[in-house]
Amino acid sequence: MLGQGAHVALALTLFLPLLCHKAAAIEVPQDPKILQDLKQPPTIVKQSVKDYIVDPRDNIIIECEAKGNPVPTFSWRRNGKYFNIGKDPRVTMRKRSGTLEIGFRNGGRPEDYEGEYQCFANNDFGVALSNKILLRVSKAPLWPKEVLQPVVVTEGAPLVLPCNPPPGLPPPFTFWMNSAMTPIPQDKRVSMGLNGDLYFSNVLAQDAHTDYSCNARFLFTHTIQQKNPFTLKVQTSRKVAESTPTFLSPSGSESSKMVLRGEELLLECIAAGLPTPTVKWFKKGGDLPGEKVKLENYNKTLKIISVSEEDAGEYLCMANSQLGSIRHTIFVQVKAAPFWLDKPTDLVLSPDENGRLVCRANGNPKPNIQWMINGLPIDSAPPNPSRQVLGDTIIFRSVQMGSSAVYQCNASNQHGYLLANAFVNVLDMPPRMLGPKNQLIKVIENNRTFLDCPFFGSPLPELRWFKNGQGSGLDGGQYRVYINGTLEIKRARPEDEGTYTCVASSILGKAESQVRLEVKEPTRIVRAPEHHSAIRGSSARFDCKVKSDPSLAITVAWTKDDKPLSLGWRLRKDDESLTIPNVNEGDEGTYTCTAKSEIDQDSASARLTVLDRPDPPTDLDLSDPAARSVRLTWIPGKEHRSPITEFLVQFEEDHWEPGRWQDLATYPGDLNTVILQLAPFVNYQFRVIAINSVGRSKPSRPSPRYKTSGAAPDAIPRGLRGWGSKKDNMEITWEPLLDLERNGPNLHYNVWWRRNDVEEEWSSVTTAKSKHIVQNTETYVPYEIKIQARNEFGAGPESNVVIGYSGEDKPTDAPTDVQVSKVDSTKANIQWKPVDPDSIQGEFKEYRLYYWRESSLVPGLVVSKEKKTRGFYSTSAEPSGILTDLVPYSKYKMFMVVANSRFEGPPSNTMEFTTKEGVPDAPRFFRINRRTFDTIYLDWDKPLEPNGILIGYQLRYQTVNGSSTVQPQIQTFPPNKTDFTLQLPDRSTRYKFYLSALTQVGAGEVYAEESPHFNEAYIDQVDIATQGWFIGLMCAIALIILILLIVCFIKRSRGGKYPVRDKKDLPLDPVDHKDQDGSFDYQNENENSSDEDNKPLQGSQTSLDGNVKESDDSLVDYGEGGDGQFNEDGSFIGQYTVKKDKDETEGNESSEATSPVNAIYSLA
């Protein structure tokens, strides 16, 4: 099945000329079936060149090949006369060909066959002619023997050594050599002309040689002939006379040159003179055509390739030297052998059709046009009314069968000729379909579509298209029919599907062909891959989601950089994506997803960029050393497609922490040389880490070590303070210098201190530690303190003076006259008298109030008595403060102390006060349960903190069905009421409830809830355990269970008595257990009964008639003695003892346990 594009190409290739069939001839398609049946005049397809030069050592082959139907026959003319091949045994003609072969194996001279040959190809429909072939045999004549006299010339004079090679066919190629077969050196002064002569612009003494030899090389014979050598003698003089330029070739001041169009133009000017002249070329009336002109032979030759008419004109060559100049004008004429303007072509016509042959040629002079028919002048042919000759055109009107012929057009002038064959073939053939039958064409929806119907016939048939075999022909609107048979559907739609029939008809018959069209949805990539940057080692995923026609098979292929992607063990492809795990640099590239069906495809591309940490820097170098700096230079490593943003310089020192690398500084990523600021007395080693968006590179190799010289400390110890750990000392502490701040060995600290409140001298100490304790100080007195670091290289700067204090002691006084005022429900004002500042014996921190809730004024409410503190910082003479966050309606106690940084003083007097009643807290909980569809049940609990005496609850509620203008309804309840049932006017009504507790002060915190939405599937969410029906049901179930238990106990109790009375009247059952003496083993019976707890003892409950009955006997009745004892376990004894007592007191009453009490008692 051909694709859409292939059908269009086929149609255009085969039948494009048919579009203009009314104005031109029929183009016969190259269909084998057509060509097999097509009768056609002969056509020359191969022939030898017009000027045919042959090698005399080879056989002569003159080519002439032609085609036609029937196969043509061939004949030859030589020098205008019939050439009878059969009479010459050396001449043969190849089979089914007109090519002549002339052999000389048995003698003969090739020169005898020189002449003009012409081939004639003939069949039933005409005669075709070849060109006139001029056959010549290549010649390489010998150089005539001559005696050359020595050439004597004066130094500085010009000289021409003639070559005059023998005439050959074709002309030989000439060159000059010496006796050593070395080419004669040529330059601006010495060169060979176009005629082969050797020109000397001026002769020098070194030109004197005896072996100037001209050589001629003949191309066909591959021979070189050498002329006798010239001997050149140079007459020298002390002073060589200079001469003005003259022309050695051409002679005179002007000359002319004729060249044919398309050939090569060679113009030559060779000048003589001393010094050697320089040659320049000009064209009159314009510049030389630079793209076509080449100057050769040291500017002595002007060469124009493929001459055209615009190259004609006057050319000027000028020879210049310092002594003057000379000019020569060359008039160039461009003539032209005939060349085609409109070459006649074969013409295929139907009967009664019109046509024409055109033969237009040009040349200089203008060529003569001569028409022939089948090799004879057309004037001598029989007259034909359908043919008219008008100069270079033959017009045919209403041609008829039998008028086929081959026409020759000859265009000639004095420079050559052109011969062209063109046949006129009058053809009749019924319509034929050329393409495959019953094609299935699948096209994409909304695409322009072509349905091909290649056909042929003569006369040209009329073509029409039909769809589904119905209606009139398709043309216009959505459809367009081309003359070559192609039907164009401008925009294929699903409704265009169907079977299309093309019918070609003429007067000779008709033919038809069918094409089935299916319209498919396009294949599209709906989620295309996107450009992605992935870190090396991570995964990359490209999406490629395809949507296509369900009836078309789709293949999705991936390529990388336009090459097929090999999906090995690592790459994973599914229907909608390509995943590349553990990406590396080799994965970088452009990935293309191509979704292809049999009729279309879609593709999308995205680029994967693999990012990686940069390579570590290399070649670390240290330069520009200084006391506290050095220059570090490095070569950055590869960035791996993520630019380096910064460099981290690290160092390692070998004294304090050898082997530990520490960060020194970071620098921008565009630097690779920096000056490092260093600390004294450190033996450094550096490395560099490059950082980009992916991460850090590996560290570079370490640099050479660099040790800085020592110096006094630059840093001042930090954190200097003085404080007392005891009441009679002061500890002076500081942070020791860092290792890199030491700047040298033997680090010590100079510490100074003195009293700040009195005049005294500085005391000092030098220590290597980071602490010094000053003993025997007074309690909490201020000191001035300063410090200085020093090492072997000197002392560093002194610190600023700081104030420290000696140790603190317990305050001695307590605050007095502590009073409470302005007490309300949650806060109270506190006043007291301050202590003497000296009694604090330390840094004053605060007056610290301890208070606790002693009890609540609400009867029965238990409270926590946890102590709380509140600090008040005040240095005024009448200090006060506000105590907040108190619980209303409570009794509080409190006392106050003064505190310094370490101790508290003695407590003040304890005060009591009570807070006023406040509003209560929110209820502990508030629940809304919808018991039925038309009622809502609310319940709540009292507040945790009533903050007073509760007098009730207030409930506000309003509907929330969208109306915001409804006034809320208010319900109040006594304090012992904690539930409420609300009747709903409408089951879809919803309420917002606001509940608060009340005291005499007012309403407390509100607890808000909203009723649930109505739902037909709503089930009452009220606590089911509180419902009466549920309680009744549970009681009934419990009663039934109790009755079942009583029955069970009775059964077990009755089953425990042994049926002795029944057993004594019955034979022993085979399963009864007996001892060897015939007695029953009741112990075994009991043991067996444990396996079948719910089964009665065999024979004890069942009578002979199979009915179950209870025994009215017991073993007691058969016991010996009056005590009724039986030698069994105690439980049985107790039971039957009771039975015997009852018999004695109550007579023959039944021994059955007739009540649950008796049954339970018997089990005891």
Side-chain angles (χ1 to χ4, degrees):
M1 181 183 68
L2 293 173
Q4 177 182 344
H7 284 282
V8 175
L10 176 63
L12 294 178
T13 301
L14 295 181
F15 306 108
L16 186 61
L18 296 180
L19 294 175
C20 53
H21 72 288
K22 294 182 180 179
I26 299 173
E27 180 73 14
V28 179
Q30 300 302 307
D31 186 277
K33 295 180 180 179
I34 298 293
L35 296 178
Q36 182 179 357
D37 300 335
L38 180 66
K39 302 302 181 180
Q40 184 172 325
T43 302
I44 300 293
V45 296
K46 189 177 183 181
Q47 57 184 318
S48 296
V49 296
K50 293 180 181 178
D51 192 4
Y52 188 29
I53 300 174
V54 298
D55 193 329
R57 296 169 297 181
D58 299 331
N59 291 338
I60 299 175
I61 298 177
I62 309 175
E63 291 184 317
C64 181
E65 304 285 346
K67 67 178 181 178
N69 189 10
V71 177
T73 60
F74 296 89
S75 62
W76 284 87
R77 288 186 183 181
R78 179 185 174 194
N79 297 325
K81 298 181 180 180
Y82 175 72
F83 184 33
N84 192 343
I85 299 171
K87 290 184 178 181
D88 193 334
R90 298 187 184 92
V91 181
T92 59
M93 185 183 295
R94 293 177 181 173
K95 292 183 179 181
R96 301 181 65 84
S97 169
T99 298
L100 297 180
E101 293 188 11
I102 305 174
F104 302 99
R105 181 176 298 178
N106 297 323
R109 297 174 58 248
E111 290 80 1
D112 295 339
Y113 291 89
E114 290 185 330
E116 188 178 72
Y117 292 81
Q118 190 171 25
C119 173
F120 291 76
N122 177 58
N123 70 4
D124 296 341
F125 299 98
V127 180
L129 279 65
S130 73
N131 291 322
K132 293 181 179 179
I133 302 169
L134 179 60
L135 176 67
R136 294 185 293 173
V137 178
S138 174
K139 297 178 178 60
L142 299 177
W143 225 298
K145 292 186 178 181
E146 56 183 338
V147 178
L148 299 177
Q149 297 297 326
V151 178
V152 180
V153 64
T154 302
E155 185 179 9
L159 174 66
V160 178
L161 295 180
C163 180
N164 299 325
L169 190 65
F173 172 75
T174 58
F175 55 95
W176 289 81
M177 301 183 75
N178 58 24
S179 58
M181 300 305 291
T182 302
I184 300 299
Q186 298 188 30
D187 54 19
K188 178 181 176 181
R189 184 178 64 86
V190 181
S191 61
M192 186 181 73
L194 295 176
N195 59 358
D197 295 346
L198 188 63
Y199 293 86
F200 293 80
S201 296
N202 51 77
V203 177
L204 301 181
Q206 62 264 27
D207 294 331
H209 294 291
T210 60
D211 53 358
Y212 286 94
S213 177
C214 183
N215 297 265
R217 180 162 62 89
F218 295 90
L219 300 179
F220 269 77
T221 60
H222 302 291
T223 59
I224 296 178
Q225 296 188 25
Q226 191 177 60
K227 186 176 182 177
N228 290 338
F230 286 97
T231 298
L232 178 60
K233 295 182 178 180
V234 180
Q235 295 178 346
T236 61
S237 61
R238 292 184 179 180
K239 185 175 181 181
V240 179
E242 294 183 342
S243 60
T244 59
T246 59
F247 281 115
L248 297 177
S249 175
S251 60
S253 61
E254 60 182 38
S255 61
S256 62
K257 178 81 171 181
M258 192 276 289
V259 63
L260 292 180
R261 178 179 183 269
E263 293 183 352
E264 185 178 80
L265 172 63
L266 292 173
L267 303 179
E268 182 180 61
C269 280
I270 300 177
L274 184 68
T276 303
T278 299
V279 177
K280 295 183 179 180
W281 290 89
F282 305 93
K283 184 179 181 183
K284 187 175 181 180
D287 297 330
L288 293 173
E291 66 279 0
K292 297 176 62 176
V293 171
K294 292 179 67 177
L295 297 177
E296 299 177 344
N297 198 16
Y298 309 99
N299 278 13
K300 299 175 186 179
T301 303
L302 182 146
K303 180 177 180 182
I304 298 179
I305 302 173
S306 186
V307 172
S308 57
E309 285 78 359
E310 58 266 22
D311 295 324
E314 294 184 22
Y315 288 82
L316 180 68
C317 66
M318 178 181 293
N320 296 306
S321 75
Q322 62 190 31
L323 298 182
S325 64
I326 189 173
R327 299 182 180 185
H328 183 89
T329 302
I330 304 175
F331 296 92
V332 175
Q333 285 184 307
V334 178
K335 300 291 184 179
F339 57 90
W340 291 117
L341 297 177
D342 196 349
K343 185 178 180 179
T345 58
D346 297 334
L347 190 62
V348 180
L349 299 174
S350 301
D352 294 324
E353 264 195 334
N354 303 331
R356 65 178 180 174
L357 291 178
V358 178
C359 177
R360 293 194 180 100
N362 199 2
N364 189 5
K366 188 174 182 62
N368 178 46
I369 304 296
Q370 180 184 6
W371 285 100
M372 294 181 288
I373 179 171
N374 295 328
L376 299 175
I378 198 168
D379 296 338
S380 62
N384 186 347
S386 65
R387 179 181 68 215
Q388 182 182 7
V389 180
L390 298 176
D392 57 6
T393 303
I394 301 178
I395 299 176
F396 300 92
R397 297 184 180 89
S398 300
V399 295
Q400 301 300 319
M401 295 298 299
S403 59
S404 298
V406 180
Y407 291 83
Q408 289 84 30
C409 174
N410 187 304
S412 61
N413 66 10
Q414 64 193 63
H415 301 295
Y417 76 93
L418 295 173
L419 179 66
N421 291 276
F423 66 71
V424 175
N425 191 11
V426 181
L427 181 66
D428 62 339
M429 183 176 289
R432 291 189 181 185
M433 292 297 170
L434 304 182
K437 295 184 178 180
N438 299 321
Q439 297 181 79
L440 173 62
I441 305 296
K442 299 178 180 180
V443 299
I444 296 301
E445 184 179 355
N446 296 324
N447 275 12
R448 187 182 181 192
T449 304
F450 295 91
L451 303 183
D452 296 327
C453 182
F455 69 97
F456 182 70
S458 181
L460 189 66
E462 179 185 3
L463 188 92
R464 299 181 70 189
W465 281 90
F466 302 91
K467 181 181 178 184
N468 296 328
Q470 300 175 358
S472 59
L474 301 176
D475 200 1
Q478 170 80 347
Y479 304 100
R480 178 184 178 186
V481 180
Y482 291 90
I483 194 64
N484 64 355
T486 298
L487 173 66
E488 176 190 354
I489 303 176
K490 297 178 181 179
R491 187 176 180 183
R493 298 164 298 181
E495 53 265 29
D496 293 325
E497 285 192 346
T499 300
Y500 291 79
T501 304
C502 63
V503 179
S505 58
S506 73
I507 60 175
L508 301 180
K510 72 175 182 177
E512 65 179 41
S513 180
Q514 289 185 342
V515 179
R516 171 69 184 169
L517 178 66
E518 292 184 358
V519 181
K520 306 293 184 181
E521 295 180 12
T523 301
R524 292 290 179 264
I525 296 176
V526 296
R527 188 168 68 238
E530 297 179 350
H531 297 305
H532 185 59
S533 295
I535 297 175
R536 187 176 185 271
S538 64
S539 292
R541 184 175 185 269
F542 288 114
D543 291 328
C544 184
K545 185 176 182 180
V546 180
K547 182 181 180 182
S548 63
D549 193 284
S551 64
L552 296 178
I554 300 297
T555 59
V556 177
W558 287 88
T559 59
K560 176 177 177 285
D561 298 330
D562 298 328
K563 296 179 181 179
L565 188 62
S566 176
L567 296 173
W569 61 269
R570 191 167 65 90
L571 303 185
R572 297 193 301 273
K573 169 193 166 187
D574 56 28
D575 293 339
E576 296 185 357
S577 66
L578 172 71
T579 302
I580 308 173
N582 193 24
V583 296
N584 54 54
E585 291 182 354
D587 296 322
E588 186 168 272
T590 299
Y591 289 79
T592 301
C593 167
T594 302
K596 182 183 294 186
S597 70
E598 59 182 287
I599 57 176
D600 73 334
Q601 68 178 36
D602 193 15
S603 62
S605 299
R607 181 161 186 84
L608 174 62
T609 302
V610 180
L611 309 178
D612 198 0
R613 303 166 187 259
D615 289 344
T618 59
D619 298 338
L620 271 64
D621 180 64
L622 298 176
S623 61
D624 303 340
R628 297 197 181 193
S629 67
V630 69
R631 179 178 292 276
L632 175 63
T633 305
W634 62 87
I635 297 177
K638 293 182 179 179
E639 296 182 341
H640 296 293
R641 289 155 296 281
S642 179
I644 296 174
T645 56
E646 61 182 2
F647 290 100
L648 172 62
V649 178
Q650 295 182 325
F651 72 93
E652 180 261 349
E653 49 82 24
D654 60 359
H655 181 66
W656 303 107
E657 293 180 284
R660 177 175 175 264
W661 288 93
Q662 305 176 58
D663 295 346
L664 179 62
T666 57
Y667 299 95
D670 56 351
L671 298 180
N672 72 325
T673 178
V674 295
I675 295 178
L676 305 179
Q677 302 300 324
L678 308 177
F681 204 68
V682 179
N683 192 17
Y684 283 100
Q685 190 178 28
F686 305 101
R687 70 182 187 186
V688 182
I689 296 174
I691 302 173
N692 63 8
S693 61
V694 180
R696 294 185 174 191
S697 71
K698 293 181 179 179
S700 67
R701 300 179 69 87
S703 70
R705 286 201 174 270
Y706 178 71
K707 187 173 184 180
T708 55
S709 57
D714 300 316
I716 299 173
R718 292 171 288 273
L720 178 64
R721 61 188 290 255
W723 58 281
S725 59
K726 298 180 181 179
K727 63 180 181 179
D728 58 351
N729 74 359
M730 180 180 66
E731 292 189 7
I732 303 175
T733 59
W734 59 91
E735 296 178 15
L737 296 186
L738 302 177
D739 295 334
L740 296 180
E741 295 175 337
R742 293 171 173 262
N743 293 359
N746 196 19
L747 179 68
H748 287 77
Y749 301 96
N750 295 332
V751 184
W752 293 272
W753 68 93
R754 70 180 179 185
R755 286 278 296 268
N756 184 38
D757 54 346
V758 296
E759 291 291 337
E760 69 175 18
E761 295 296 326
W762 288 97
S763 300
S764 66
V765 68
T766 300
T767 178
K769 300 179 181 179
S770 60
K771 179 173 70 172
H772 177 68
I773 300 177
V774 180
Q775 303 289 352
N776 301 321
T777 64
E778 296 183 17
T779 300
Y780 198 69
V781 293
Y783 283 86
E784 292 180 343
I785 310 170
K786 62 181 179 178
I787 194 170
Q788 176 190 54
R790 64 177 302 113
N791 60 21
E792 286 186 356
F793 296 97
E798 292 183 4
S799 70
N800 294 327
V801 174
V802 300
I803 303 298
Y805 288 87
S806 58
E808 297 178 308
D809 202 354
K810 290 183 178 181
T812 58
D813 294 348
T816 58
D817 200 12
V818 179
Q819 296 180 8
V820 180
S821 63
K822 298 181 181 180
V823 179
D824 61 15
S825 60
T826 59
K827 63 179 181 294
N829 285 9
I830 311 297
Q831 299 93 23
W832 67 94
K833 290 184 177 179
V835 299
D836 183 359
D838 291 336
S839 68
I840 297 175
Q841 299 196 93
E843 180 184 2
F844 171 68
K845 286 296 183 184
E846 64 185 3
Y847 288 99
R848 192 169 295 155
L849 181 69
Y850 286 86
Y851 66 100
W852 63 95
R853 189 180 180 193
E854 182 68 21
S855 62
S856 173
L857 300 182
V858 178
L861 184 62
V862 180
V863 300
S864 171
K865 297 185 179 182
E866 178 186 1
K867 285 185 179 180
K868 299 180 181 179
T869 62
R870 178 70 56 85
F872 300 98
Y873 183 87
S874 176
T875 58
S876 65
E878 295 181 357
S880 64
I882 298 176
L883 183 61
T884 58
D885 297 329
L886 301 176
V887 178
Y889 212 56
S890 299
K891 180 180 181 181
Y892 278 89
K893 289 186 177 181
M894 66 178 185
F895 63 84
M896 181 177 284
V897 298
V898 67
N900 60 27
S901 296
R902 297 187 62 196
F903 303 104
E904 291 182 351
S908 69
N909 57 306
T910 300
M911 285 289 299
E912 291 185 0
F913 65 95
T914 58
T915 55
K916 295 181 179 180
E917 189 173 10
V919 296
D921 289 350
R924 190 177 307 175
F925 66 81
F926 181 28
R927 291 193 297 249
I928 301 176
N929 294 312
R930 190 164 190 168
R931 288 176 175 261
T932 63
F933 292 135
D934 53 2
T935 61
I936 291 179
Y937 176 74
L938 308 125
D939 67 332
W940 58 89
D941 196 5
K942 61 183 179 181
L944 285 175
E945 287 289 350
N947 297 336
I949 302 300
L950 285 181
I951 62 173
Y953 297 95
Q954 176 178 283
L955 177 67
R956 292 186 304 113
Y957 57 93
Q958 66 185 67
T959 59
V960 291
N961 288 31
S963 175
S964 59
T965 61
V966 178
Q967 292 295 326
Q969 302 182 48
I970 300 176
Q971 292 278 351
T972 57
F973 307 98
N976 59 347
K977 176 74 171 176
T978 58
D979 58 47
F980 174 64
T981 300
L982 175 65
Q983 295 293 327
L984 297 178
D986 183 3
R987 64 175 57 184
S988 62
T989 303
R990 294 176 54 237
Y991 286 92
K992 186 71 176 283
F993 296 94
Y994 305 91
L995 178 68
S996 58
L998 302 173
T999 63
Q1000 292 293 343
V1001 177
E1005 183 179 352
V1006 175
Y1007 199 139
E1009 283 289 347
E1010 189 172 316
S1011 61
H1013 288 272
F1014 172 77
N1015 192 341
E1016 290 294 341
Y1018 177 79
I1019 299 176
D1020 191 6
Q1021 299 177 357
V1022 180
D1023 188 359
I1024 196 171
T1026 64
Q1027 304 303 303
W1029 63 268
F1030 179 76
I1031 296 174
L1033 177 62
M1034 290 297 101
C1035 290
I1037 293 174
L1039 180 59
I1040 293 172
I1041 293 174
L1042 179 60
I1043 295 173
L1044 291 175
L1045 287 174
I1046 292 172
V1047 173
C1048 180
F1049 289 149
I1050 293 174
K1051 289 290 186 181
R1052 289 182 61 86
S1053 174
R1054 300 287 289 177
K1057 298 180 181 180
Y1058 295 131
V1060 178
R1061 181 174 297 176
D1062 292 341
K1063 286 292 184 178
K1064 69 181 180 180
D1065 296 330
L1066 295 174
L1068 293 175
D1069 193 274
V1071 300
D1072 289 339
H1073 299 279
K1074 292 198 300 182
D1075 292 336
Q1076 293 180 356
D1077 58 355
S1079 63
F1080 290 103
D1081 185 356
Y1082 299 107
Q1083 182 178 358
N1084 291 338
E1085 193 76 17
N1086 288 333
E1087 291 174 357
N1088 293 335
S1089 69
S1090 65
D1091 296 332
E1092 301 177 4
D1093 289 338
N1094 296 326
K1095 292 182 180 180
L1097 295 174
Q1098 292 181 351
S1100 64
Q1101 303 282 331
T1102 307
S1103 63
L1104 291 175
D1105 58 3
N1107 295 324
V1108 177
K1109 65 178 182 178
E1110 293 182 354
S1111 173
D1112 56 359
D1113 255 343
S1114 74
L1115 294 179
V1116 178
D1117 298 332
Y1118 300 92
E1120 296 180 359
D1123 56 1
Q1125 298 294 321
F1126 192 82
N1127 192 18
E1128 291 185 350
D1129 60 38
S1131 62
F1132 287 97
I1133 294 173
Q1135 179 181 351
Y1136 297 118
T1137 302
V1138 173
K1139 177 68 172 63
K1140 184 175 182 179
D1141 292 342
K1142 291 183 65 178
D1143 289 343
E1144 292 176 353
T1145 58
E1146 300 177 6
N1148 294 325
E1149 293 179 5
S1150 174
S1151 64
E1152 296 176 357
T1154 58
S1155 71
V1157 176
N1158 290 336
I1160 296 172
Y1161 180 73
S1162 67
L1163 289 175

